[in-house]
Amino acid sequence: MSFNSFGHLFRVMTWGESHGPALGATVDGCPPGVPLSEADIQPWMDARKPGQNRFTTQRREADAVEILSGVYEGRTTGTPIQLMIRNTDQRSKDYGEIAKTFRPGHADITYWQKYGIRDPRGGGRSSARETAARVAAGGVARQVLAALAPGLSVTGYMVQMGPRLIDRARFDWDAIAANPFWCPDAETAQLWADDLDALRKTGNSVGAVVEVVARGVPAGLGAPIYAKLDSELASAMMSINAVKGVEIGAGMASAALTGVENADEIRMGPNGPEYGSNHAGGVLGGISTGQDVVVRFAVKPTSSILTPRQSVTIDGQDTDVATKGRHDPCVGIRAVPVGEAMMACVLLDQLLLHRAQMGEGLRGSIG
Amino acid sequence: MSFNSFGHLFRVMTWGESHGPALGATVDGCPPGVPLSEADIQPWMDARKPGQNRFTTQRREADAVEILSGVYEGRTTGTPIQLMIRNTDQRSKDYGEIAKTFRPGHADITYWQKYGIRDPRGGGRSSARETAARVAAGGVARQVLAALAPGLSVTGYMVQMGPRLIDRARFDWDAIAANPFWCPDAETAQLWADDLDALRKTGNSVGAVVEVVARGVPAGLGAPIYAKLDSELASAMMSINAVKGVEIGAGMASAALTGVENADEIRMGPNGPEYGSNHAGGVLGGISTGQDVVVRFAVKPTSSILTPRQSVTIDGQDTDVATKGRHDPCVGIRAVPVGEAMMACVLLDQLLLHRAQMGEGLRGSIG
Amino acid sequence: MSFNSFGHLFRVMTWGESHGPALGATVDGCPPGVPLSEADIQPWMDARKPGQNRFTTQRREADAVEILSGVYEGRTTGTPIQLMIRNTDQRSKDYGEIAKTFRPGHADITYWQKYGIRDPRGGGRSSARETAARVAAGGVARQVLAALAPGLSVTGYMVQMGPRLIDRARFDWDAIAANPFWCPDAETAQLWADDLDALRKTGNSVGAVVEVVARGVPAGLGAPIYAKLDSELASAMMSINAVKGVEIGAGMASAALTGVENADEIRMGPNGPEYGSNHAGGVLGGISTGQDVVVRFAVKPTSSILTPRQSVTIDGQDTDVATKGRHDPCVGIRAVPVGEAMMACVLLDQLLLHRAQMGEGLRGSIG
Amino acid sequence: MSFNSFGHLFRVMTWGESHGPALGATVDGCPPGVPLSEADIQPWMDARKPGQNRFTTQRREADAVEILSGVYEGRTTGTPIQLMIRNTDQRSKDYGEIAKTFRPGHADITYWQKYGIRDPRGGGRSSARETAARVAAGGVARQVLAALAPGLSVTGYMVQMGPRLIDRARFDWDAIAANPFWCPDAETAQLWADDLDALRKTGNSVGAVVEVVARGVPAGLGAPIYAKLDSELASAMMSINAVKGVEIGAGMASAALTGVENADEIRMGPNGPEYGSNHAGGVLGGISTGQDVVVRFAVKPTSSILTPRQSVTIDGQDTDVATKGRHDPCVGIRAVPVGEAMMACVLLDQLLLHRAQMGEGLRGSIG
């Protein structure tokens, strides 16, 4: 049990607050001998970094990772890796007022009720800033995956912002990094830009759906009941700030399907079984099939908005709350690299679990 | 780490196969002094039991729970509770053929690939029969919750079968137990009966959405990052066989909302904060608000269907598979008591975790 | 966290009381494909079984293991293995009196204080009978070790009973199974027999020291800090009823040594490093060296004795307690197979952990 | 599972190497609202700090703790506490030679064999310097214990150095802090000083026995089987570098006792049961009795000694190794504050576990 960790064998504990001196991740269980330096992690940090365009918060953080332990002469040693990110742009201001009211839809109130103490500076621990530490840990996971499962890749993108969905017919992997929304459909990206500009002007925010796909995942990862691959992914994605729903493959839509429609039919291909469809999202009975692992999650709209909403104070007085400051109008955008990081961490963890119980490779062959 | 357990302090390990001599759950961490007998658990077992009407599998199991340990003179002792359910209707037949082919959409193939061995009798461990053990454990959790959080109740029901949703305007708590679908809308229940009769005749199956609501959950349960209440619920529900998506509160639909719409506004009531809506599903920042905790999950259609689907054999030959035998045309129906059981287990576990870190009650008061 | 489990990947949860219908162990994480039947486990059960000679309790239990799950056609499937042992000789008697007093040196009083309820029938969960379940789990571990680490063997024996130690000059592996004390020194075994006969007549009991040696343990098992091999072994052995001390290699005596004396010098042999001595007990820095892993533990004298001792009742009255009934005069004897079982479980667990992080084999070669 | 953590609910993960930029501990699960500042922790750090007298290594470290997270306005928030200690006196030198040989009795060789990579600078992760992080975490545990169990105190001291034991008749609590050996017997402390001066001159080192006593521990802490208080303490103490044996109460000597001698007789006192002796070391059946909890552990002599010992190189060549540099002639001395820290962490963890399952206080009263 750990309140702030995830993973079983590749285990990540994140720590730190939005406005403290630093935050980070302590990574335990990393295999030794894997090439790792700050430069390997930084690109993923930069992808999540705020203030890069007008669609994300204007807080300016270098988000520079420092590796304090667990690496010697450019390789992991198998001992804990401490990843520290200093906070540099935590503006000093008077939090006296904020500390006494609760933003509707924000963790302010539950933190207070649970702990009887909260760090109001930028939301403290409940800030989306915590996800920087996850992205750093995900960077380590990616390095290890590159060594252990060379063909495996993890890619995230946004498929919905507000009520507007992408057109899957225009899906283009190359478009994803070419717009500020990680959108695989360039045309929709342009419409989202217009949508979001309009929303920002009214002091409002909007939700989104992020999809993360892992290609090249070997069959056999997962376990029958509670360490199921899909169960682990659901837990991982739902642990990201503001996520309210998680789907694997056909997801919620599978409820409307019949068994005949939902069956991913199989035919023997040159390299083993091939599937005619992927309603399963690459997971059957909690175990990977070798198809793409497909996860989607919904990110609710940012609760810190300029439009006043009804709320109460710590003293039990009714009040109206409008949140000034630097906030993401669509926090879903920056959740894309975070979802990727969680996918990478879960897959690596499952790979190690599989290797523990089974040894290298699969046990059962087909054909 | 445990491949077949869930929970941190109230910890449940399930064991057993569909066609072995017995299956069950080992429950660790139960508080002592709680009244418990087989009779307290059996009603929940009966709710999940197959063969009670024409809409579920015709396998006939008494699903009688035996308490083998952890109870003395009608009260829990604080030591492990072994709950055993004997299998009584595992028909002997020739599994030679089944053991050599894989049902599309079924765990047959991934179990084989991972383990290199599988128990083909009724799906072995991947059978929905495993959920009987969860319901037994959930029965224990309910008894403890009754002692520790007297006002707390957990109720599940189906809100969608195939493409047909209930009409929330007709929602009636009393209707739920009065039809074979746990449907809170009697009118829709009748339509589902017709839908399912038609499907069964064509050898097909269908998916469903189950909603589980916990009322009377105290504020403060959960934790900021990975032991988040919603993350735990997502993991728990996704671990149920055939579940492909999990939502909290507004769920996937929250993506289409603006911050203004999504904010659950607060006003001071006579007994503390009152919320004007519940898009959050009772969870903010991973911690319960005191509102109803609302979880929904999609159950895919049963993969064992009479209609032949393309597949392969263990020897790598293309084949067509049609599954005869006693299968649920809509396994979502029997997932309702299972979802309730998982909710009860998660809430109790969180209650114990909260009590560990905070002592009794909440730390922060409002007003 | 689990109050009644041990192990990380090869995970054992024991359950059941001395006088309930049954007790057992739920084993999770077992690799698949390993040959396993009741017959593989029973010999270890028989070694621990009471009533085999006049030096152990006269309770007569068949201690027959039933495998309820996790094995199909004689091989493990990789899913949980339920091992059940029915209690057959739990004599009915009036426990009213016993339930109201506390035996000095027994868990009676702490169970009562902690839980506010206790099962007085034969000590309930605190009975040495719980160790039967560990031996069953150890039998599974041995089968897996035979497959994964063929040269590995685990042997336990008694090296001290009361004040009398064995003479290491007379150490004979073959003597161990040839006397009722698992004593590697036949001459001392005879003296112990006389000692124990005398003690039994006076209604007294005596302590013992058990040593467990694992030969053929590969180098590299363990971890630097808290999953240290020695730390895990200490925890495992100290968890056995009545154990009050645990030593690795030179153990407590290493305090009296100098660094010069304690250094296990190394020379290169034909198959790698060879050690001139084994003060380390096969563990350096928490990781196995490839030498014999040597653990010793002290078992206190049975607290249930005929000689009256001062105590109190549940109502706070002073009283004198003399325990009639069937008790082991030296419970250390039956702790030998239990210590072996714990060693087997720990080593297998560590082997799986090593394989998870490192893959197969060692990473660093010498020479 | 975590290779570098300990504790279940009060959970500590240590990280960092002897010669990296920093090391530290990430503490999860700390109750909120507890007063905590660097100044509360520093005194315990200073007690362990090297270079304070001629009997410990001459490395000079400020061992200044920085709290990077989890504390707001002088109180814990209930979120992870990051404790960082910068390394300041890691002398640069050529490790080329050292990296190629193995010190007999040191983790050099097993780290190499396991990981295939090791940080030779000062032993890297296997350095006793890692224990600084534990002492910092222990400082946090002490603050929480002061709040939750006000009468509880933890005190460690040395009872043996080399073959020389203290005289218990001269035991004086006030003497402990008055000599460089944490020796409760001033006369023996003087003899140890002479002993150690002589040993240092010959380039040798020596072992020791440390005893840690916790007074004011409430009855009821612990659990029946694997989360036994004594099992947890054994694991915690054995995880300290160089520890080879752990005893509770009478420890290994209990083997020589009879049941009559070993029984800690009970009489009713004004505030509950009172015990006539404490062979049990305050633990019965894995659960605290309310008596002093008494743990002892043996620390082997430092393996880094000036006297040459036979060893091998990484290339498989025989060689002789003499370790120059700044090493503790008796590392047992500095293990005293470490043992205290581990005791504090374990007791707090158990307190939280007890509170989780039982609520506040004991369940069963006597009298």
Side-chain angles (χ1 to χ4, degrees):
Chain A
M1 174 61 213
S2 164
F3 299 102
N4 288 277
S5 295
F6 57 93
H8 303 284
L9 291 174
F10 182 80
R11 193 163 177 86
V12 177
M13 189 193 282
T14 70
W15 56 271
E17 287 88 38
S18 171
H19 283 56
L23 49 81
T26 317
V27 177
D28 198 7
C30 187
V34 176
L36 184 70
S37 70
E38 278 94 349
D40 295 316
I41 303 175
Q42 200 58 44
W44 311 111
M45 302 303 295
D46 293 345
R48 194 211 69 99
K49 200 163 68 172
Q52 303 190 95
N53 55 57
R54 71 183 186 280
F55 303 115
T56 60
T57 170
Q58 294 309 299
R59 179 168 174 169
R60 305 253 164 211
E61 287 286 352
D63 274 358
V65 177
E66 295 169 57
I67 299 177
L68 296 185
S69 65
V71 174
Y72 180 63
E73 296 186 339
R75 292 188 177 265
T76 59
T77 60
T79 59
I81 301 169
Q82 183 58 262
L83 304 163
M84 185 171 74
I85 304 146
R86 293 176 206 265
N87 290 321
T88 55
D89 187 23
Q90 66 277 47
R91 294 195 192 154
S92 65
K93 66 173 178 180
D94 180 9
Y95 288 94
E97 198 56 31
I98 289 171
K100 288 201 163 61
T101 62
F102 305 110
R103 283 167 282 183
H106 194 277
D108 283 346
I109 191 166
T110 51
Y111 271 55
W112 168 251
Q113 288 178 299
K114 183 177 188 78
Y115 298 113
I117 191 171
R118 69 183 168 108
D119 178 347
R121 300 165 304 162
R125 183 83 182 134
S126 68
S127 167
R129 211 163 154 58
E130 182 269 340
T131 60
R134 303 184 188 217
V135 172
V140 176
R142 283 181 193 262
Q143 285 294 107
V144 183
L145 284 172
L148 297 190
L152 195 155
S153 72
V154 173
T155 312
Y157 41 86
M158 253 170 63
V159 296
Q160 181 181 347
M161 194 185 76
R164 198 186 298 277
L165 282 77
I166 63 163
D167 181 346
R168 298 240 171 207
R170 292 193 298 255
F171 195 106
D172 175 10
W173 290 102
D174 294 332
I176 294 171
N179 63 72
F181 300 101
W182 312 103
C183 182
D185 164 7
E187 211 163 302
T188 297
Q190 189 48 54
L191 299 172
W192 286 350
D194 300 341
D195 292 348
L196 205 52
D197 281 332
L199 265 168
R200 278 194 303 131
K201 279 174 198 148
T202 63
N204 208 342
S205 63
V206 75
V209 175
V210 173
E211 186 167 285
V212 182
V213 173
R215 291 173 286 178
V217 177
L221 303 193
I225 305 300
Y226 213 67
K228 278 182 162 169
L229 178 54
D230 36 6
S231 178
E232 296 280 310
L233 287 169
S235 172
M237 299 309 171
M238 196 67 96
S239 80
I240 301 173
N241 309 43
V243 171
K244 300 304 285 184
V246 180
E247 301 185 311
I248 309 287
M252 297 305 293
S254 62
L257 300 176
T258 65
V260 170
E261 293 161 343
N262 187 62
D264 298 319
E265 292 186 299
I266 319 175
R267 274 293 173 249
M268 206 61 197
N271 304 310
E274 291 180 358
Y275 292 81
S277 53
N278 190 11
H279 293 97
V283 187
L284 285 176
I287 298 170
S288 63
T289 61
Q291 292 188 276
D292 289 355
V293 174
V294 182
V295 181
R296 266 182 317 287
F297 56 89
V299 184
K300 70 175 185 184
T302 318
S303 54
S304 302
I305 49 177
L306 271 168
T307 313
R309 309 307 293 153
Q310 297 184 352
S311 187
V312 297
T313 67
I314 210 167
D315 304 317
Q317 302 303 312
D318 286 348
T319 185
D320 279 7
V321 174
T323 312
K324 288 167 205 120
R326 306 165 295 173
H327 293 284
D328 288 280
C330 176
V331 77
I333 301 170
R334 288 171 59 220
V336 172
V338 182
E340 289 181 342
M342 296 309 285
M343 174 72 94
C345 288
V346 168
L347 290 177
L348 174 55
D349 192 37
Q350 291 289 335
L351 212 85
L352 300 183
L353 283 169
H354 180 82
R355 190 159 78 168
Q357 196 181 7
M358 307 299 150
E360 313 273 5
L362 291 175
R363 288 296 185 92
S365 61
I366 296 172
Chain B
M1 174 58 212
S2 164
F3 299 101
N4 289 276
S5 296
F6 56 93
H8 303 284
L9 291 175
F10 182 80
R11 192 163 178 86
V12 177
M13 189 193 283
T14 69
W15 56 272
E17 287 87 40
S18 171
H19 283 55
L23 48 80
T26 317
V27 177
D28 199 8
C30 187
V34 177
L36 184 69
S37 70
E38 278 94 350
D40 295 316
I41 303 175
Q42 200 58 43
W44 312 110
M45 303 302 295
D46 293 344
R48 194 212 69 99
K49 198 164 69 172
Q52 304 191 95
N53 56 57
R54 69 183 187 279
F55 303 115
T56 59
T57 170
Q58 294 308 300
R59 178 168 173 169
R60 305 252 164 211
E61 287 286 354
D63 275 0
V65 177
E66 295 169 56
I67 299 176
L68 296 185
S69 65
V71 174
Y72 180 64
E73 296 187 339
R75 292 186 178 267
T76 59
T77 61
T79 59
I81 301 168
Q82 182 58 262
L83 304 163
M84 184 171 74
I85 303 146
R86 293 176 206 265
N87 289 320
T88 56
D89 187 23
Q90 66 277 45
R91 295 195 191 155
S92 66
K93 64 172 178 180
D94 180 10
Y95 289 95
E97 198 55 30
I98 290 171
K100 289 200 161 62
T101 63
F102 305 111
R103 283 166 283 182
H106 195 277
D108 283 346
I109 192 167
T110 52
Y111 271 54
W112 169 252
Q113 288 178 300
K114 183 178 189 79
Y115 298 112
I117 190 170
R118 68 181 168 109
D119 179 346
R121 300 166 303 164
R125 182 82 181 135
S126 68
S127 167
R129 214 167 148 56
E130 182 269 340
T131 60
R134 304 186 188 214
V135 172
V140 176
R142 283 182 192 261
Q143 285 294 106
V144 183
L145 284 171
L148 297 189
L152 195 155
S153 73
V154 173
T155 312
Y157 41 86
M158 254 170 64
V159 296
Q160 181 180 348
M161 194 186 76
R164 198 186 299 276
L165 282 76
I166 62 163
D167 181 346
R168 297 236 173 212
R170 291 194 299 254
F171 195 106
D172 174 10
W173 291 102
D174 294 331
I176 295 171
N179 63 72
F181 300 100
W182 312 105
C183 181
D185 164 7
E187 212 163 302
T188 297
Q190 188 49 55
L191 298 172
W192 287 351
D194 298 342
D195 292 348
L196 204 51
D197 281 331
L199 265 167
R200 278 194 303 133
K201 279 173 200 149
T202 63
N204 208 342
S205 64
V206 74
V209 175
V210 174
E211 186 168 286
V212 182
V213 173
R215 292 173 285 177
V217 176
L221 302 194
I225 305 300
Y226 213 68
K228 279 182 163 170
L229 178 54
D230 36 6
S231 179
E232 295 280 311
L233 286 169
S235 171
M237 298 308 172
M238 196 66 96
S239 80
I240 301 172
N241 309 43
V243 171
K244 300 304 286 184
V246 180
E247 303 184 310
I248 308 288
M252 298 305 293
S254 62
L257 299 177
T258 65
V260 170
E261 293 160 344
N262 187 62
D264 297 320
E265 293 186 300
I266 319 175
R267 275 293 174 251
M268 206 58 196
N271 304 309
E274 292 180 358
Y275 293 81
S277 54
N278 190 11
H279 294 96
V283 187
L284 285 176
I287 299 171
S288 63
T289 62
Q291 290 189 279
D292 288 355
V293 174
V294 182
V295 181
R296 263 182 319 284
F297 56 90
V299 184
K300 71 175 185 185
T302 318
S303 55
S304 302
I305 50 177
L306 272 167
T307 313
R309 309 307 294 153
Q310 298 184 352
S311 187
V312 297
T313 68
I314 210 167
D315 304 316
Q317 302 302 312
D318 286 348
T319 186
D320 280 6
V321 173
T323 312
K324 288 170 204 117
R326 306 165 296 173
H327 294 283
D328 288 281
C330 176
V331 77
I333 301 170
R334 287 171 59 218
V336 172
V338 183
E340 289 182 342
M342 297 310 285
M343 173 72 93
C345 288
V346 168
L347 290 177
L348 174 56
D349 192 37
Q350 291 289 335
L351 212 86
L352 300 183
L353 283 170
H354 180 81
R355 190 159 77 168
Q357 196 181 7
M358 307 300 150
E360 313 273 5
L362 291 175
R363 288 299 185 91
S365 61
I366 297 172
Chain C
M1 173 59 214
S2 166
F3 300 103
N4 288 275
S5 296
F6 56 93
H8 303 283
L9 292 174
F10 182 80
R11 193 162 177 85
V12 177
M13 189 192 284
T14 70
W15 56 273
E17 288 86 39
S18 170
H19 283 56
L23 48 81
T26 317
V27 177
D28 199 7
C30 186
V34 177
L36 184 69
S37 70
E38 279 94 349
D40 295 316
I41 302 174
Q42 200 58 45
W44 312 111
M45 301 303 294
D46 293 344
R48 194 212 68 100
K49 200 163 67 172
Q52 302 191 96
N53 56 57
R54 72 182 186 276
F55 303 115
T56 59
T57 169
Q58 294 309 299
R59 179 169 173 169
R60 305 255 164 208
E61 288 286 354
D63 274 0
V65 177
E66 295 168 58
I67 299 176
L68 297 185
S69 66
V71 174
Y72 180 64
E73 296 187 339
R75 291 187 178 266
T76 59
T77 62
T79 59
I81 301 168
Q82 183 58 262
L83 305 163
M84 184 171 74
I85 303 146
R86 292 176 207 266
N87 289 319
T88 55
D89 187 23
Q90 66 276 46
R91 296 198 190 151
S92 67
K93 65 172 178 181
D94 181 11
Y95 288 95
E97 197 57 29
I98 289 171
K100 289 201 161 63
T101 61
F102 305 111
R103 281 166 284 181
H106 194 276
D108 284 346
I109 191 165
T110 52
Y111 271 54
W112 168 252
Q113 287 178 301
K114 184 178 189 79
Y115 298 112
I117 190 171
R118 69 181 168 109
D119 179 346
R121 301 166 302 163
R125 181 84 180 134
S126 67
S127 167
R129 206 155 160 63
E130 182 269 340
T131 59
R134 304 186 188 214
V135 172
V140 177
R142 284 181 192 261
Q143 285 294 106
V144 183
L145 285 171
L148 297 189
L152 195 153
S153 72
V154 172
T155 312
Y157 40 86
M158 255 171 62
V159 296
Q160 180 181 347
M161 194 185 77
R164 196 185 299 276
L165 282 76
I166 63 163
D167 181 345
R168 297 235 172 212
R170 292 192 299 255
F171 194 106
D172 175 10
W173 291 101
D174 295 330
I176 294 172
N179 63 72
F181 299 101
W182 312 104
C183 181
D185 164 8
E187 211 164 303
T188 297
Q190 189 49 56
L191 299 172
W192 287 351
D194 300 340
D195 292 348
L196 204 51
D197 281 331
L199 267 167
R200 279 194 303 132
K201 280 173 200 149
T202 63
N204 208 342
S205 64
V206 75
V209 175
V210 173
E211 186 167 284
V212 182
V213 173
R215 291 173 286 177
V217 176
L221 302 193
I225 305 299
Y226 212 67
K228 279 182 164 171
L229 178 54
D230 36 7
S231 178
E232 296 279 312
L233 286 169
S235 172
M237 299 308 171
M238 195 66 97
S239 80
I240 301 172
N241 310 43
V243 171
K244 302 303 288 183
V246 180
E247 302 185 308
I248 308 288
M252 298 304 294
S254 62
L257 298 176
T258 66
V260 170
E261 293 161 342
N262 186 62
D264 297 320
E265 292 186 300
I266 319 176
R267 274 293 175 249
M268 206 58 195
N271 303 309
E274 291 179 358
Y275 292 81
S277 53
N278 191 11
H279 293 96
V283 187
L284 284 176
I287 299 170
S288 63
T289 62
Q291 292 189 275
D292 289 355
V293 174
V294 182
V295 180
R296 263 183 318 285
F297 55 91
V299 184
K300 71 176 185 183
T302 318
S303 55
S304 301
I305 49 176
L306 273 167
T307 313
R309 309 308 294 154
Q310 298 185 352
S311 187
V312 297
T313 69
I314 209 167
D315 304 317
Q317 302 302 313
D318 287 348
T319 186
D320 279 7
V321 174
T323 312
K324 288 166 205 123
R326 306 165 295 172
H327 293 283
D328 288 279
C330 176
V331 77
I333 301 170
R334 289 172 57 218
V336 172
V338 182
E340 289 181 341
M342 298 308 287
M343 173 72 93
C345 289
V346 168
L347 290 177
L348 174 55
D349 191 38
Q350 291 289 334
L351 211 86
L352 300 182
L353 283 169
H354 181 82
R355 190 158 78 167
Q357 195 180 10
M358 308 298 150
E360 313 273 5
L362 291 175
R363 288 298 185 90
S365 61
I366 297 172
Chain D
M1 174 60 212
S2 166
F3 299 103
N4 289 275
S5 296
F6 56 93
H8 303 283
L9 292 174
F10 182 81
R11 192 161 177 87
V12 177
M13 189 192 283
T14 70
W15 56 272
E17 288 86 39
S18 170
H19 283 55
L23 49 80
T26 317
V27 177
D28 199 7
C30 187
V34 176
L36 185 70
S37 71
E38 278 95 347
D40 295 316
I41 303 174
Q42 200 58 45
W44 311 112
M45 301 302 295
D46 293 345
R48 194 212 68 99
K49 201 164 68 173
Q52 303 191 96
N53 56 58
R54 72 183 185 277
F55 303 114
T56 59
T57 168
Q58 293 309 299
R59 179 169 172 168
R60 305 253 164 210
E61 288 287 353
D63 274 359
V65 177
E66 295 170 56
I67 298 176
L68 297 184
S69 66
V71 174
Y72 180 63
E73 296 186 339
R75 291 186 178 267
T76 59
T77 61
T79 59
I81 301 168
Q82 183 58 261
L83 305 163
M84 184 171 74
I85 303 146
R86 292 175 206 266
N87 289 320
T88 55
D89 187 23
Q90 66 276 48
R91 293 195 192 154
S92 66
K93 65 172 177 180
D94 181 10
Y95 289 94
E97 197 57 31
I98 289 170
K100 289 201 164 60
T101 62
F102 305 111
R103 283 167 281 182
H106 194 276
D108 284 346
I109 192 166
T110 53
Y111 271 54
W112 169 252
Q113 287 178 300
K114 182 178 190 79
Y115 296 113
I117 191 170
R118 68 182 168 109
D119 179 346
R121 301 166 302 163
R125 182 81 180 136
S126 68
S127 167
R129 207 158 157 60
E130 183 269 341
T131 60
R134 303 185 188 214
V135 171
V140 177
R142 283 182 192 261
Q143 285 294 106
V144 183
L145 284 171
L148 297 189
L152 194 154
S153 72
V154 173
T155 312
Y157 42 86
M158 254 171 63
V159 296
Q160 180 180 349
M161 194 185 77
R164 197 186 299 277
L165 283 75
I166 62 163
D167 180 345
R168 297 239 172 208
R170 291 192 300 253
F171 194 106
D172 174 10
W173 291 101
D174 295 331
I176 294 171
N179 63 73
F181 299 101
W182 313 104
C183 181
D185 164 9
E187 211 164 304
T188 297
Q190 189 48 54
L191 298 173
W192 286 351
D194 299 341
D195 291 347
L196 205 52
D197 280 332
L199 266 167
R200 279 195 303 133
K201 279 175 199 147
T202 64
N204 208 342
S205 63
V206 75
V209 175
V210 173
E211 186 167 283
V212 182
V213 173
R215 290 173 287 178
V217 177
L221 303 192
I225 305 300
Y226 213 68
K228 279 182 163 172
L229 178 55
D230 36 6
S231 179
E232 295 279 312
L233 287 169
S235 172
M237 299 309 171
M238 195 67 97
S239 80
I240 301 171
N241 310 44
V243 171
K244 301 302 287 185
V246 180
E247 301 184 310
I248 308 288
M252 298 305 292
S254 62
L257 299 177
T258 66
V260 169
E261 292 161 344
N262 187 62
D264 297 320
E265 293 186 299
I266 319 175
R267 275 292 174 250
M268 206 59 196
N271 304 310
E274 291 180 358
Y275 292 80
S277 55
N278 190 11
H279 293 97
V283 186
L284 285 177
I287 299 171
S288 63
T289 61
Q291 290 189 276
D292 289 355
V293 173
V294 182
V295 181
R296 265 182 317 285
F297 55 91
V299 184
K300 72 176 184 183
T302 318
S303 55
S304 301
I305 49 176
L306 271 168
T307 313
R309 310 305 297 152
Q310 298 184 352
S311 187
V312 298
T313 68
I314 210 166
D315 304 317
Q317 302 303 311
D318 286 348
T319 185
D320 280 6
V321 174
T323 311
K324 288 169 204 118
R326 304 166 295 173
H327 293 284
D328 288 280
C330 175
V331 78
I333 301 170
R334 287 172 58 219
V336 172
V338 182
E340 288 181 342
M342 297 309 285
M343 173 72 93
C345 289
V346 168
L347 290 177
L348 174 55
D349 192 37
Q350 291 289 335
L351 212 85
L352 300 182
L353 283 169
H354 180 83
R355 191 158 77 168
Q357 195 181 9
M358 308 298 149
E360 313 273 6
L362 291 176
R363 286 300 185 90
S365 61
I366 295 173

